[in-house]
Amino acid sequence: MTDSTVLEVDDLSVTYRSGSGEVPAVRGVSFGIAAGEKLGLAGESGCGKSTMALAMLRLLPKSARMTGRILFDGDDVLDMTWGRLRAVRWAGASIVFQGAMHSLNAVQRIGTQIAEPMYLHEKVTESEAQRRVGELLEQVGLPTRRADAFPHELSGGQRQRVMIAMALACNPSLIIADEPTTALDVMIQAQILTLIESLVSEHGIALLMISHDLSVLADTCDRLAIMYAGRIVEEGPSQRVFTSPNHPYSAALSTAFPTIGDPASRRNPGGLAGDPPDPADLPTGCAFHPRCPSRLEHCSSVVPELWPAGDDTRAACVLTLSDQGRSLASTTKETV
């Protein structure tokens, strides 16, 4: 962990307890984010992305068991007392949830909701809070007078801007954006993404952005991490991962978008058949092998690690290894 590292996740696993046994949602995930860096986390629904987001600040239900380390400014979130954790939430790290209408209080004015974390963490006066609320609304492109509005009086894009203003209220060093543009039209989505990117750069905030849309993350983030069946299967510079992926799953995600102006790609869209595996019934070996168009014979028994794949990229796929390395992997990394 360097002096500039805001968040470091080390071998994080999250398991849910259910009536039929334990269900692994996140399995041995590790990554780090430095101040001012933007990391995108992509994958299909059910791959563990939102569980990751909630785990960062211990917002998971009691049925979840977490192991590993989540270091925020050097302190392990999993070992924090409740008092210390409450102090970190909003003031140190904040979350922009998907679906702003469900995240905002329908019977409180938005100015009151934006000011609430200021009263809790900074002990500001009412006049100071109102001034700060006005500044935050202007930063996210809303007029100050909208502080008196209720959530239902705002459009979807405006409500999402309010959520971003709330996330910035106490000057956090980390923002976690979980599907921040879900259900927004394309034009508003572009505005929100541009806003997040500019605010993060302006304030030097570390950003973890989570989405199923690989193209959105590639345009917004510095680095990408591709998640499948609770594990990161590829990680590297965003444009490198998007345009020249090493893992077959990353390649399938990147080809799922038609090329504008290319009728052939519109008539023959890419993509991937099937669905991610049930976390309670994961396949042996590489979890992606039942859907993989490039699978090898031993992919059903080898559990791949994140091996170097060139250009500061790592991929959990035996295809990134030499023939000798593949042979070694098949004999040394077997499913337990």
Side-chain angles (χ1 to χ4, degrees):
M1 183 171 184
T2 65
D3 292 339
S4 64
T5 301
V6 174
L7 178 70
E8 182 176 9
V9 178
D10 180 24
D11 196 27
L12 176 67
S13 293
V14 180
T15 302
Y16 291 104
R17 295 184 297 273
S18 68
S20 58
E22 294 193 339
V23 179
V26 176
R27 304 182 295 140
V29 169
S30 299
F31 62 85
I33 311 177
E37 184 180 22
K38 302 180 287 290
L39 174 67
L41 187 63
E44 295 169 282
S45 296
C47 286
K49 305 186 305 299
S50 291
T51 292
M52 281 285 300
L54 297 174
M56 296 300 99
L57 292 174
R58 275 170 52 189
L59 295 171
L60 292 169
K62 293 182 179 179
S63 61
R65 179 173 60 87
M66 295 183 286
T67 61
R69 296 192 305 167
I70 303 172
L71 300 178
F72 176 73
D73 286 339
D75 295 332
D76 192 346
V77 172
L78 302 185
D79 291 336
M80 287 181 181
T81 64
W82 281 112
R84 171 62 177 146
L85 188 59
R86 283 194 298 268
V88 167
R89 292 171 177 170
W90 290 109
S94 56
I95 297 183
V96 179
F97 293 103
Q98 57 178 309
M101 191 61 188
H102 303 293
S103 302
L104 295 171
N105 189 327
V107 297
Q108 284 193 349
R109 301 181 190 276
I110 64 168
T112 301
Q113 298 185 59
I114 296 173
E116 183 177 3
M118 302 180 203
Y119 291 126
L120 292 174
H121 293 282
E122 299 181 356
K123 309 301 181 184
V124 297
T125 64
E126 184 176 353
S127 61
E128 289 173 332
Q130 290 177 351
R131 176 185 60 79
R132 177 68 174 145
V133 167
E135 292 176 350
L136 287 167
L137 288 175
E138 291 180 354
Q139 282 186 9
V140 299
L142 291 175
T144 304
R145 66 177 184 278
R146 302 304 279 168
D148 292 329
F150 289 98
H152 72 272
E153 297 176 308
L154 303 177
S155 68
Q158 290 174 328
R159 288 194 291 266
Q160 203 63 42
R161 290 172 187 266
V162 171
M163 289 295 297
I164 296 170
M166 291 176 64
L168 293 169
C170 295
N171 300 306
S173 54
L174 170 69
I175 289 181
I176 302 164
D178 185 12
E179 302 274 9
T181 57
T182 295
L184 299 180
D185 64 64
V186 175
M187 294 299 293
I188 299 300
Q189 174 178 275
Q191 293 174 14
I192 295 297
L193 292 172
T194 300
L195 172 65
I196 292 175
E197 189 174 9
S198 62
L199 290 174
V200 167
S201 299
E202 178 183 345
H203 295 278
I205 299 170
L207 173 69
L208 174 61
M209 181 178 286
I210 298 171
S211 178
H212 63 276
D213 193 329
L214 193 60
S215 62
V216 164
L217 296 179
D219 286 339
T220 307
C221 299
D222 305 310
R223 299 182 67 81
L224 282 180
I226 309 300
M227 200 165 184
Y228 186 81
R231 281 184 170 167
I232 291 178
V233 297
E234 185 166 359
E235 186 269 334
S238 58
Q239 288 303 315
R240 174 71 172 82
V241 173
F242 184 59
T243 59
S244 302
N246 288 281
H247 196 284
Y249 180 61
S250 305
L253 290 181
S254 64
T255 58
F257 305 94
T259 302
I260 296 176
D262 182 7
S265 70
R266 192 168 62 248
R267 296 191 188 100
N268 299 286
L272 188 65
D275 298 301
D278 183 346
D281 187 24
L282 293 170
T284 60
C286 174
F288 184 61
H289 86 265
R291 304 171 72 191
C292 182
S294 306
R295 61 182 176 269
L296 301 175
E297 182 179 351
H298 53 255
C299 289
S300 61
S301 58
V302 177
V303 180
E305 299 177 347
L306 278 170
W307 289 301
D311 296 330
D312 198 24
T313 302
R314 298 182 300 158
C317 180
V318 296
L319 296 175
T320 64
L321 301 176
S322 64
D323 291 339
Q324 181 180 1
R326 294 180 190 180
S327 176
L328 178 63
S330 67
T331 58
T332 62
K333 196 67 177 178
E334 301 269 329
T335 302
V336 177

